Amino acid sequence: KAGVTQTPRYLIKTRGQQVTLSCSPISGHRSVSWYQQTPGQGLQFLFEYFSETQRNKGNFPGRFSGRQFSNSRSEMNVSTLELGDSALYLCASSPQGHFAYTFGSGTRLTVV
Amino acid sequence: KNEVEQSPQNLTAQEGEFITINCSYSVGISALHWLQQHPGGGIVSLFMLSSGKKKHGRLIATINIQEKHSSLHITASHPRDSAVYICAPGVSGGGADGLTFGKGTHLIIQP
């Protein structure tokens, strides 16, 4: 059974650019959630999508956005990148969004 | 907001030792995850538990909902257990925004 797949694994971008990260959940999982991990703040919740609708959103600026497609794959987008956006971005999927999360390996974004 | 405290923050032990990592939280929860993260790697969910005890191989997780406390034990520790261990209690409602994450315990097992 394939796990949660995140692409790309590593990414280097320049300040001011935008970036799109992709997450393919486990087959049959309808909930995808995104998290940012930094050395200073640890893991922080970004947003959750369920059946193509954003269900919850964390305390992040509007530059962070996402969407979910009909096949449950999700993308997150960060516009006007800042140095502080350098982080490991993790996504997790679950069947219904109730705690049984499986995490992906993450995308490590470096903004220079 | 759920305040999560993990202890110890850092732990170095010798191979074969019994390891205990503790997690305390401030708000009543529905369930709690224990997560493992190897250097440069993604996160693996080791356990999700809402009561009692669960065991998987050399790993044991316990939770006391009334005392708002959970522990992760590793028996016969091995260098491959070296990783960051994160507890993540989830409040009622069950949505992903209900998960709060501890800062993690950095575990190093020396051969």
Side-chain angles (χ1 to χ4, degrees), chain A residues 9-10 33 35 37 40-45 48 55-56 88 90 97-101 103-106 108, chain B residues 30-31 33 35 37 40-45 48 86 90-99 101-103:
Chain A
R9 287 296 308 275
Y10 303 93
S33 50
Y35 306 85
Q37 186 182 41
Q41 297 297 321
L43 274 162
Q44 293 182 284
F45 170 74
E48 180 190 13
R55 189 153 73 171
N56 297 294
L88 179 67
L90 291 152
H98 290 286
F99 295 134
Y101 298 103
F103 285 84
S105 296
R108 186 163 297 279
Chain B
S30 301
H33 277 266
L35 311 173
Q37 185 174 32
I43 286 181
V44 173
S45 180
M48 182 185 68
I86 301 168
V91 298
S92 298
D97 64 329
L99 279 179
F101 300 91
K103 295 291 188 187

Side-chain angles (χ1 to χ4, degrees), chain B residues 11-14 19 79 81-83 106-110:
Chain B
L11 179 58
T12 300
Q14 295 298 311
I19 303 298
D81 297 325
S82 298
H106 295 247
L107 174 65
I108 297 173
I109 303 297
Q110 295 178 335

Side-chain angles (χ1 to χ4, degrees), chain A residues 26-98:
Chain A
I26 288 174
S27 178
H29 285 194
R30 297 166 63 191
S31 166
V32 174
S33 50
W34 289 89
Y35 306 85
Q36 181 195 65
Q37 186 182 41
T38 59
Q41 297 297 321
L43 274 162
Q44 293 182 284
F45 170 74
L46 278 159
F47 28 65
E48 180 190 13
Y49 286 87
F50 184 84
S51 294
E52 302 179 65
T53 301
Q54 186 179 86
R55 189 153 73 171
N56 297 294
K57 190 177 193 302
N59 189 24
F60 279 82
R63 299 185 298 105
F64 291 81
S65 63
R67 59 178 175 169
Q68 187 180 33
F69 301 96
S70 58
N71 62 357
S72 292
R73 189 178 71 87
S74 177
E75 290 181 346
M76 69 162 280
N77 183 277
V78 188
S79 61
T80 320
L81 284 165
E82 300 176 0
L83 295 179
D85 297 333
S86 296
L88 179 67
Y89 290 89
L90 291 152
C91 82
S93 75
S94 78
Q96 299 288 335
H98 290 286

